[in-house]
Amino acid sequence: MIPTSESELTALLQKLPFWEHLTAEEASWLPGQASLNRYPAGAILHSAQLECIGLLQICTGSLRVFLLSEEGREITLYRLGPGELCVLSASCVLHSITFDVHIDAVEDCTVLQTGASALSRLMQENIHVEVFAYRLIAEHFSDVMWTMQQILFMSFDRRLASFLLEETEVSGSDRLKMTHEQIARLLGSAREVVSRMLKYFSEEGMVSLGRGTIQITDREKLKALLS
Amino acid sequence: MIPTSESELTALLQKLPFWEHLTAEEASWLPGQASLNRYPAGAILHSAQLECIGLLQICTGSLRVFLLSEEGREITLYRLGPGELCVLSASCVLHSITFDVHIDAVEDCTVLQTGASALSRLMQENIHVEVFAYRLIAEHFSDVMWTMQQILFMSFDRRLASFLLEETEVSGSDRLKMTHEQIARLLGSAREVVSRMLKYFSEEGMVSLGRGTIQITDREKLKALLS
C-alpha cells in the first residue's frame, strides 16, 4: 500500500463517474474505504482463488483481464490503462456476474482500490452507483465480444496480418506508410475495423503505430496469426 | 402482430421487473408502445442488418441468441424461454453495447415487444429502467462467458459426454439412472457444474432429463463433442 493522505484519496475518487451523485455522508466516508496500491509487472491481482479486491481505478501502468483454463491456457479478454476502471474484480458483490476472470499487471502499476464491501453498500443505497457498475460491465461485455469474435471466427485479423506482412515484404522495410482508411479500402473493410484491429496488434506488441505509419515490431508473432 | 387489447398488454407489461418503478404517466403510456407478435420456428428476429426491435419478453416458445461469422458459422450464446427477457435486441439504443448478435426463433413463439425508442425514453427518464437494462446485460454476459469457456477450453463438456457414452454403452441402454450428484462425484466435479452442462446438452437436443435419469437422444451429436 502506498501511504496516501485522505485528501489525496479524495482527489482520485472524485474522478469516479458516480462521485457527483454521492451524498455528503457517502463522499466523506468513501476515502476511508479506499487505498492506493503498487503492483509490479506480472503480479496477479484477482482470480477465483483470491479474495475479491473491489473496484479498481488504474492510475499508472496497465492491467490485463483474462480467462485461464484448467490446463493453464490463457485468453486475454481486454486491457485497462490509466484512467480506466474495473469492476469484475468485485464480482463477489455482483450477483449477476457468475463467472470469474483473472487480472494481472502487464507493467508496473498503481491502482486505487475501493473495497468490495464498500462498493456493495454504495450499490445498495445509491442507485447511481448501481447503474455505474452495470454499465461498466456492459462496456466490458462489448470488449469481450469483440475479442471472442476475433478468436472464434479468425478472419479479419488474419487478413490484416497477411496484408501487413506482404506489403512490408514487397517494400523491404518494416515500416508501412499508409492510413487506416487506405488499408480499409484495400481490404474491403471499414476504417473503424482496421483501427481497432491495429490497436489490438499494437497492444499485443506486434506493431507500433505512428501518424500515417505502421511499424512491424514482431514479425514472427504476426506470422503466427496465419497458421 | 396478434390483436391485443390495451388491458391485455398492460397485464403482460406488469411482469417487467421495473414496472413498479414507473410513474403513473409512464405506466399508462407504455402499453401503446408495445405489441404482441408471433414468430414461426426459424424466423430471424434480430441481426445487424435488421431494424432494432426493442425489448423482448418471451411469452411462449423459445429464442436463441447467437453469433454469425462472415463465413456463416454460428455460435449459440444462450437461449431464452417463457418469462425471460432480452435487451440485446435493443442494442441500437444501448451505447455501451457495440456488438451485434443474431436472434432467431427455436420453436414457434409469441413475444411481447416494447419498441427501442420507448425503451430509450424510459432509460433516459427513469433510472430504474436503466439499471434493469444493464443488469440484464450483465446476466447475459455471465451466460455468454460460460458458453465461451466451454467452447474455448473444451474440457468438461468432453469429459461428461464421454462419461455418458461409456456408461450407456456398458449397460446397453440409452437410459442412465444416476443423479447429478453421483455423476459429479465420479467425475471429480461439482453438482452445479454437472447440472448446468446437462441442461446445455438437453437444450442442444443431445439428452433429455428426467427425475434421476438421463436419456441419450442424439448419440452422434454427443460423440461429435469428442472429436
Side-chain angles (χ1 to χ4, degrees):
Chain A
M1 211 206 287
I2 304 170
T4 325
S5 71
E6 186 159 323
S7 67
E8 285 172 310
L9 288 172
T10 304
L12 290 169
L13 290 167
Q14 279 171 349
K15 295 179 186 166
L16 290 170
F18 59 76
W19 178 268
E20 55 168 339
H21 296 290
L22 295 181
T23 64
E25 190 272 325
E26 288 165 348
S28 70
W29 167 79
L30 197 57
Q33 311 300 314
S35 63
L36 192 62
N37 297 283
R38 189 172 283 136
Y39 295 96
I44 294 172
L45 280 77
H46 180 78
S47 75
Q49 284 72 45
L50 296 174
E51 216 179 319
C52 174
I53 54 172
L55 173 65
L56 306 181
Q57 192 176 335
I58 294 102
C59 299
T60 64
S62 66
L63 298 179
R64 177 178 72 119
V65 177
F66 63 105
L67 290 179
L68 186 64
S69 76
E70 284 171 27
E71 293 83 21
R73 200 177 139 210
E74 295 181 1
I75 305 266
T76 300
L77 297 174
Y78 53 88
R79 293 191 184 197
L80 297 166
E84 293 192 288
L85 298 159
C86 182
V87 80
L88 290 182
S89 43
S91 56
C92 58
V93 298
L94 299 165
H95 306 299
S96 308
I97 298 298
T98 58
F99 59 95
D100 242 314
V101 292
H102 292 249
I103 303 175
D104 67 8
V106 178
E107 338 160 51
D108 294 351
C109 52
T110 52
V111 178
L112 182 71
Q113 288 173 224
T114 301
S117 62
L119 181 69
S120 173
R121 182 190 141 180
L122 286 182
M123 283 178 70
Q124 274 164 40
E125 68 183 34
N126 190 321
I127 196 166
H128 293 278
V129 181
E130 197 180 1
V131 167
F132 153 80
Y134 286 120
R135 198 197 283 130
L136 187 60
I137 289 170
E139 283 165 18
H140 288 153
F141 188 9
S142 292
D143 294 333
V144 167
M145 289 306 285
W146 185 83
T147 306
M148 289 297 180
Q149 296 196 44
Q150 295 311 318
I151 293 168
L152 293 171
F153 299 143
M154 279 290 182
S155 53
F156 191 67
D157 60 341
R158 287 189 188 191
R159 278 162 63 207
L160 183 58
S162 89
F163 174 84
L164 295 175
L165 290 167
E166 283 165 21
E167 289 291 318
T168 50
E169 270 158 25
V170 166
S171 71
S173 154
D174 273 341
R175 199 180 190 84
L176 185 67
K177 278 199 171 186
M178 214 176 256
T179 65
H180 300 185
E181 183 71 49
Q182 289 170 310
I183 296 172
R185 263 203 306 273
L186 288 167
L187 291 177
S189 181
R191 191 194 53 74
E192 295 74 32
V193 177
V194 172
S195 296
R196 194 155 187 186
M197 188 64 79
L198 284 172
K199 181 166 169 274
Y200 176 75
F201 284 1
S202 113
E203 285 171 354
E204 292 293 315
M206 296 186 263
V207 304
S208 85
L209 303 176
R211 216 172 165 69
T213 64
I214 296 149
Q215 173 94 31
I216 296 186
T217 49
D218 191 339
R219 189 168 286 270
E220 289 315 306
K221 202 166 174 188
L222 212 47
K223 272 185 188 158
L225 286 179
L226 306 180
S227 60
Chain B
M1 212 207 286
I2 304 170
T4 325
S5 71
E6 187 159 322
S7 67
E8 285 171 310
L9 288 172
T10 304
L12 290 169
L13 289 167
Q14 280 171 348
K15 294 178 187 166
L16 289 170
F18 60 76
W19 178 268
E20 55 168 339
H21 296 291
L22 295 181
T23 65
E25 190 272 326
E26 289 165 346
S28 69
W29 168 78
L30 197 57
Q33 311 301 315
S35 64
L36 193 61
N37 297 284
R38 189 172 283 136
Y39 294 96
I44 294 171
L45 280 78
H46 181 76
S47 76
Q49 285 72 45
L50 296 174
E51 215 180 320
C52 176
I53 53 174
L55 173 64
L56 307 180
Q57 193 176 335
I58 294 102
C59 300
T60 63
S62 67
L63 297 179
R64 177 178 72 119
V65 177
F66 62 105
L67 290 179
L68 187 64
S69 76
E70 283 171 29
E71 294 82 21
R73 201 178 138 210
E74 295 181 2
I75 305 267
T76 300
L77 297 174
Y78 54 89
R79 294 191 183 198
L80 297 165
E84 292 191 288
L85 299 158
C86 181
V87 81
L88 290 182
S89 43
S91 57
C92 58
V93 298
L94 299 165
H95 306 300
S96 308
I97 297 299
T98 58
F99 59 95
D100 242 316
V101 293
H102 291 249
I103 302 175
D104 67 7
V106 179
E107 338 160 51
D108 294 352
C109 54
T110 52
V111 178
L112 182 72
Q113 288 172 224
T114 301
S117 62
L119 180 68
S120 174
R121 183 191 140 180
L122 286 183
M123 282 178 71
Q124 274 164 40
E125 67 183 34
N126 190 322
I127 197 167
H128 294 279
V129 180
E130 198 179 0
V131 167
F132 153 80
Y134 286 119
R135 198 195 286 130
L136 187 59
I137 288 169
E139 284 165 18
H140 289 152
F141 188 8
S142 292
D143 294 333
V144 167
M145 289 306 285
W146 186 84
T147 306
M148 289 297 179
Q149 296 197 45
Q150 294 311 318
I151 293 169
L152 293 171
F153 298 143
M154 279 290 183
S155 53
F156 191 68
D157 60 341
R158 288 190 187 191
R159 278 162 64 207
L160 183 58
S162 91
F163 174 84
L164 295 176
L165 290 167
E166 282 166 20
E167 289 292 318
T168 51
E169 269 158 25
V170 166
S171 70
S173 155
D174 273 341
R175 199 180 190 85
L176 184 67
K177 279 200 172 186
M178 215 175 255
T179 65
H180 300 186
E181 183 73 48
Q182 288 171 311
I183 296 172
R185 264 203 306 272
L186 288 167
L187 291 176
S189 180
R191 191 194 54 74
E192 297 73 32
V193 177
V194 171
S195 296
R196 194 156 187 184
M197 188 64 79
L198 284 172
K199 181 166 169 274
Y200 175 74
F201 284 1
S202 115
E203 284 171 355
E204 292 292 316
M206 296 187 262
V207 304
S208 84
L209 303 177
R211 216 171 165 71
T213 65
I214 296 149
Q215 173 94 33
I216 294 186
T217 49
D218 191 338
R219 190 169 285 270
E220 289 314 308
K221 202 166 174 187
L222 212 48
K223 273 185 188 159
L225 287 180
L226 306 182
S227 59

Coordinates of all heavy atoms in Angstrom, one line a residue, chain B residues 48-83:
Chain B
A48 N -27.7 -7.6 -37.4 CA -27.1 -6.3 -37.6 C -27.8 -5.6 -38.8 O -27.9 -4.4 -38.8 CB -25.6 -6.5 -37.9
Q49 N -28.3 -6.4 -39.7 CA -28.9 -5.8 -40.9 C -30.4 -5.4 -40.6 O -30.9 -4.5 -41.3 CB -29.0 -6.8 -42.0 CG -27.6 -7.0 -42.7 CD -26.6 -7.8 -41.8 OE1 -27.0 -8.8 -41.2 NE2 -25.4 -7.3 -41.7
L50 N -31.1 -6.0 -39.7 CA -32.5 -5.7 -39.4 C -32.6 -4.5 -38.5 O -31.7 -4.2 -37.7 CB -33.2 -6.9 -38.9 CG -33.3 -8.1 -39.8 CD1 -33.9 -9.3 -39.0 CD2 -34.1 -7.8 -41.0
E51 N -33.8 -3.9 -38.5 CA -34.0 -2.8 -37.6 C -34.1 -3.3 -36.2 O -34.4 -4.5 -35.9 CB -35.4 -2.2 -38.0 CG -35.5 -0.7 -37.8 CD -36.9 -0.2 -38.2 OE1 -37.4 -0.7 -39.2 OE2 -37.4 0.7 -37.5
C52 N -33.7 -2.5 -35.3 CA -33.6 -2.8 -33.9 C -35.0 -2.9 -33.3 O -35.8 -2.0 -33.4 CB -32.8 -1.7 -33.3 SG -32.5 -1.6 -31.5
I53 N -35.4 -4.1 -32.8 CA -36.8 -4.3 -32.4 C -37.2 -4.1 -31.0 O -38.3 -4.2 -30.6 CB -37.2 -5.8 -32.8 CG1 -36.3 -6.8 -32.2 CG2 -37.3 -5.9 -34.3 CD1 -36.7 -8.2 -32.4
G54 N -36.2 -3.6 -30.2 CA -36.6 -3.3 -28.8 C -36.5 -4.4 -27.8 O -35.9 -5.4 -28.1
L55 N -37.1 -4.2 -26.7 CA -37.1 -5.1 -25.6 C -38.0 -6.3 -25.9 O -39.2 -6.1 -26.3 CB -37.6 -4.4 -24.3 CG -37.8 -5.2 -23.0 CD1 -36.5 -5.8 -22.5 CD2 -38.5 -4.3 -22.0
L56 N -37.5 -7.5 -25.7 CA -38.4 -8.7 -25.9 C -38.7 -9.4 -24.6 O -37.9 -9.6 -23.8 CB -37.6 -9.7 -26.8 CG -37.0 -9.2 -28.1 CD1 -36.3 -10.3 -28.8 CD2 -38.1 -8.6 -29.0
Q57 N -39.9 -9.8 -24.5 CA -40.4 -10.6 -23.4 C -41.1 -11.8 -23.9 O -42.1 -11.8 -24.6 CB -41.5 -9.7 -22.7 CG -41.9 -10.0 -21.3 CD -42.9 -9.0 -20.8 OE1 -42.9 -7.8 -21.2 NE2 -43.7 -9.4 -19.9
I58 N -40.4 -13.0 -23.7 CA -40.9 -14.2 -24.3 C -42.1 -14.7 -23.6 O -42.0 -15.0 -22.3 CB -39.8 -15.3 -24.4 CG1 -38.7 -14.8 -25.4 CG2 -40.3 -16.6 -24.9 CD1 -37.5 -14.2 -24.7
C59 N -43.3 -14.9 -24.3 CA -44.5 -15.4 -23.6 C -44.6 -16.9 -23.8 O -44.8 -17.6 -22.8 CB -45.7 -14.7 -24.2 SG -45.6 -12.9 -24.0
T60 N -44.4 -17.4 -25.0 CA -44.4 -18.9 -25.2 C -43.3 -19.2 -26.2 O -42.9 -18.3 -27.0 CB -45.7 -19.4 -25.8 OG1 -45.9 -18.8 -27.1 CG2 -46.9 -19.0 -24.9
G61 N -42.8 -20.4 -26.2 CA -41.8 -20.8 -27.2 C -40.4 -20.4 -26.7 O -40.2 -20.1 -25.5
S62 N -39.4 -20.5 -27.6 CA -38.1 -20.1 -27.2 C -37.3 -19.4 -28.3 O -37.5 -19.7 -29.5 CB -37.3 -21.3 -26.6 OG -37.1 -22.2 -27.6
L63 N -36.3 -18.6 -27.9 CA -35.5 -17.9 -28.9 C -34.0 -18.3 -28.6 O -33.7 -18.8 -27.5 CB -35.6 -16.4 -28.6 CG -36.9 -15.7 -28.8 CD1 -36.8 -14.2 -28.5 CD2 -37.4 -15.9 -30.3
R64 N -33.2 -18.0 -29.6 CA -31.8 -18.4 -29.5 C -31.0 -17.1 -29.8 O -31.3 -16.4 -30.8 CB -31.4 -19.5 -30.5 CG -30.0 -19.9 -30.5 CD -29.8 -21.0 -31.5 NE -30.0 -20.6 -32.9 CZ -29.0 -20.7 -33.8 NH1 -27.8 -21.2 -33.5 NH2 -29.2 -20.2 -35.0
V65 N -30.0 -16.8 -29.1 CA -29.1 -15.6 -29.3 C -27.8 -16.2 -29.8 O -27.2 -17.0 -29.1 CB -29.0 -14.8 -28.1 CG1 -28.0 -13.6 -28.3 CG2 -30.3 -14.2 -27.6
F66 N -27.4 -15.8 -31.0 CA -26.1 -16.4 -31.5 C -25.3 -15.4 -32.3 O -25.7 -14.3 -32.7 CB -26.4 -17.6 -32.4 CG -27.3 -17.3 -33.6 CD1 -26.7 -17.3 -34.9 CD2 -28.6 -17.1 -33.5 CE1 -27.4 -17.1 -36.0 CE2 -29.4 -16.8 -34.7 CZ -28.8 -16.8 -35.9
L67 N -24.0 -15.8 -32.4 CA -23.1 -15.0 -33.3 C -23.0 -15.7 -34.6 O -23.1 -16.9 -34.7 CB -21.7 -15.0 -32.7 CG -21.4 -14.3 -31.4 CD1 -19.9 -14.4 -31.0 CD2 -21.7 -12.8 -31.6
L68 N -22.8 -14.9 -35.7 CA -22.7 -15.4 -37.0 C -21.5 -14.9 -37.7 O -21.3 -13.6 -37.7 CB -24.0 -15.0 -37.8 CG -24.2 -15.6 -39.2 CD1 -24.4 -17.1 -39.2 CD2 -25.4 -14.9 -39.9
S69 N -20.6 -15.7 -38.1 CA -19.4 -15.2 -38.8 C -19.6 -14.9 -40.2 O -20.7 -15.2 -40.8 CB -18.3 -16.3 -38.7 OG -18.5 -17.3 -39.7
E70 N -18.7 -14.2 -40.8 CA -18.8 -13.8 -42.2 C -19.0 -15.1 -43.1 O -19.6 -15.0 -44.1 CB -17.6 -13.0 -42.7 CG -17.6 -11.6 -42.3 CD -16.3 -10.9 -42.6 OE1 -15.6 -11.3 -43.5 OE2 -15.9 -10.0 -41.8
E71 N -18.4 -16.2 -42.7 CA -18.5 -17.4 -43.4 C -19.7 -18.2 -43.1 O -19.9 -19.3 -43.6 CB -17.2 -18.3 -43.2 CG -15.9 -17.7 -43.7 CD -15.3 -16.7 -42.7 OE1 -15.7 -16.7 -41.5 OE2 -14.5 -15.8 -43.2
G72 N -20.6 -17.7 -42.3 CA -21.8 -18.3 -42.0 C -21.8 -19.3 -40.8 O -22.7 -20.0 -40.5
R73 N -20.7 -19.3 -40.1 CA -20.6 -20.2 -38.9 C -21.4 -19.6 -37.7 O -21.3 -18.4 -37.5 CB -19.1 -20.3 -38.5 CG -18.8 -21.6 -37.7 CD -17.3 -21.7 -37.4 NE -17.1 -22.1 -36.0 CZ -16.1 -21.8 -35.3 NH1 -15.2 -21.0 -35.7 NH2 -16.0 -22.2 -34.0
E74 N -22.1 -20.4 -37.0 CA -22.9 -20.0 -35.9 C -22.4 -20.4 -34.6 O -22.0 -21.6 -34.5 CB -24.4 -20.5 -36.1 CG -25.1 -19.9 -37.3 CD -26.5 -20.5 -37.4 OE1 -26.9 -21.2 -36.5 OE2 -27.2 -20.1 -38.4
I75 N -22.5 -19.6 -33.6 CA -22.1 -19.9 -32.2 C -23.3 -19.5 -31.3 O -23.6 -18.3 -31.2 CB -20.9 -19.2 -31.7 CG1 -19.7 -19.3 -32.7 CG2 -20.6 -19.5 -30.3 CD1 -18.7 -20.5 -32.3
T76 N -24.0 -20.5 -30.8 CA -25.1 -20.2 -29.9 C -24.6 -19.7 -28.6 O -23.7 -20.3 -27.9 CB -25.9 -21.5 -29.6 OG1 -26.4 -22.0 -30.8 CG2 -27.1 -21.2 -28.7
L77 N -25.0 -18.5 -28.2 CA -24.6 -17.9 -26.9 C -25.5 -18.3 -25.8 O -25.0 -18.6 -24.7 CB -24.6 -16.3 -27.1 CG -23.6 -15.8 -28.1 CD1 -23.8 -14.3 -28.3 CD2 -22.2 -16.1 -27.8
Y78 N -26.8 -18.2 -26.0 CA -27.7 -18.7 -24.9 C -29.1 -18.7 -25.5 O -29.3 -18.2 -26.6 CB -27.7 -17.8 -23.7 CG -27.9 -16.3 -23.9 CD1 -29.1 -15.8 -23.9 CD2 -26.8 -15.5 -24.1 CE1 -29.3 -14.4 -24.1 CE2 -27.0 -14.1 -24.3 CZ -28.3 -13.6 -24.3 OH -28.5 -12.3 -24.5
R79 N -30.0 -19.4 -24.8 CA -31.4 -19.5 -25.2 C -32.3 -18.8 -24.2 O -31.9 -18.6 -23.0 CB -31.8 -20.9 -25.3 CG -31.1 -21.6 -26.4 CD -31.7 -23.0 -26.6 NE -30.9 -23.7 -27.6 CZ -31.3 -24.7 -28.3 NH1 -32.6 -25.2 -28.1 NH2 -30.6 -25.3 -29.2
L80 N -33.5 -18.4 -24.7 CA -34.4 -17.7 -23.8 C -35.7 -18.4 -23.9 O -36.2 -18.7 -25.0 CB -34.6 -16.2 -24.2 CG -33.3 -15.4 -24.2 CD1 -33.5 -14.1 -25.0 CD2 -33.0 -15.1 -22.7
G81 N -36.3 -18.7 -22.7 CA -37.6 -19.3 -22.7 C -38.7 -18.4 -22.1 O -38.5 -17.3 -21.8
P82 N -39.9 -19.0 -21.9 CA -41.1 -18.2 -21.4 C -40.7 -17.5 -20.1 O -40.1 -18.0 -19.2 CB -42.1 -19.3 -21.1 CG -41.8 -20.4 -22.1 CD -40.3 -20.4 -22.2
G83 N -41.1 -16.2 -20.1 CA -40.8 -15.4 -18.9 C -39.5 -14.6 -19.0 O -39.3 -13.7 -18.2

